[in-house]
Amino acid sequence: MRGTLTLTWILMVSLSQVAVQSQYYSESLPYDPRPVKVTNLHFFLHETLRGKNPTVVMVAQANNTSNDNYSSVPVGTLYAIDDPLKIGPGDNSEVIGNALGLGILAGKNSTTVVMYLDFGFTTGKFKGSSISIFSRNPLIETERELSVVGGRGEFRMAEGYARLKNYFFDGTTVIIEYNVTVIHY
């Protein structure tokens, strides 16, 4: 027994002296922060709810046997979105990109949409770049703010916010003014 303990002790001391090499070792480099850019964007989102070319389409709806929320559109309704982005509010304004994404009616009162939108720019300085928004959108508020959570291209690693203002609504067409502040590298 005494010999086993001695052998164990010698083995432990020997192993503690062995240098451990790791394949994940890398040399540390000095931190070199990239300059931060702030870009302010202004554009109008044009949405068509009805007609021969709607830009918002219901893709799923909760199987709700009762309408306890007294809404024509129950909680859990999912929409696919493909809205043009234009320089101005007019129908003939130049198209600068489009907003693709999903929106789900998440509030029991059906006036709040949780939405993910990717604003892809197809012309101008930011052609090929996009910003991503994922946020709660209280539709009945005239002015509201959404979170910018990412981007690609010129807006890689973006963060920021979008201020929205209802510009026009007639039951078929919705025009929303966007003022977006994007912080990126």
Side-chain angles (χ1 to χ4, degrees), residues 60-122:
Q61 187 173 10
N63 187 9
N64 199 1
T65 56
S66 69
N67 195 1
D68 293 336
N69 61 359
Y70 303 105
S71 171
S72 60
V73 183
V75 63
T77 304
L78 177 68
Y79 291 91
I81 302 164
D82 184 0
D83 295 333
L85 304 175
K86 297 184 178 184
I87 287 179
D91 285 342
N92 296 327
S93 293
E94 178 186 356
V95 175
I96 58 168
N98 67 333
L100 296 175
L102 298 170
I104 186 165
L105 288 166
K108 287 184 179 180
N109 62 8
S110 295
T111 60
T112 299
V113 175
V114 174
M115 57 191 330
Y116 164 73
L117 289 174
D118 185 78
F119 292 83
F121 299 99
T122 56

Side-chain angles (χ1 to χ4, degrees), residues 6-163:
T6 304
L7 185 58
T8 304
W9 182 80
I10 292 171
L11 187 58
M12 287 176 54
V13 169
S14 298
L15 288 175
S16 68
Q17 300 302 317
V18 175
V20 177
Q21 295 288 328
S22 172
Q23 63 182 352
Y24 300 109
Y25 173 78
S26 66
E27 188 177 321
S28 295
L29 299 174
Y31 177 65
D32 187 21
R34 294 180 290 177
V36 175
K37 299 176 196 171
V38 177
T39 301
N40 294 303
L41 303 169
H42 180 255
F43 53 84
F44 292 83
L45 180 139
H46 291 246
E47 192 165 82
T48 305
L49 304 174
R50 296 175 184 73
K52 65 179 186 173
N53 287 323
T55 60
V56 177
V57 178
M58 182 175 29
V59 293
Q61 187 173 10
N63 187 9
N64 199 1
T65 56
S66 69
N67 195 1
D68 293 336
N69 61 359
Y70 303 105
S71 171
S72 60
V73 183
V75 63
T77 304
L78 177 68
Y79 291 91
I81 302 164
D82 184 0
D83 295 333
L85 304 175
K86 297 184 178 184
I87 287 179
D91 285 342
N92 296 327
S93 293
E94 178 186 356
V95 175
I96 58 168
N98 67 333
L100 296 175
L102 298 170
I104 186 165
L105 288 166
K108 287 184 179 180
N109 62 8
S110 295
T111 60
T112 299
V113 175
V114 174
M115 57 191 330
Y116 164 73
L117 289 174
D118 185 78
F119 292 83
F121 299 99
T122 56
T123 63
K125 179 180 177 182
F126 302 115
K127 180 179 181 178
S129 298
S130 71
I131 56 173
S132 298
I133 290 181
F134 183 76
S135 198
R136 172 190 300 229
N137 187 356
L139 298 175
I140 61 170
E141 293 181 19
T142 305
E143 295 185 28
R144 50 209 184 268
E145 186 174 293
L146 306 179
S147 300
V148 174
V149 297
R152 61 184 175 82
E154 183 70 28
F155 299 119
R156 187 176 297 125
M157 302 289 292
E159 57 186 23
Y161 60 93
R163 291 189 175 241

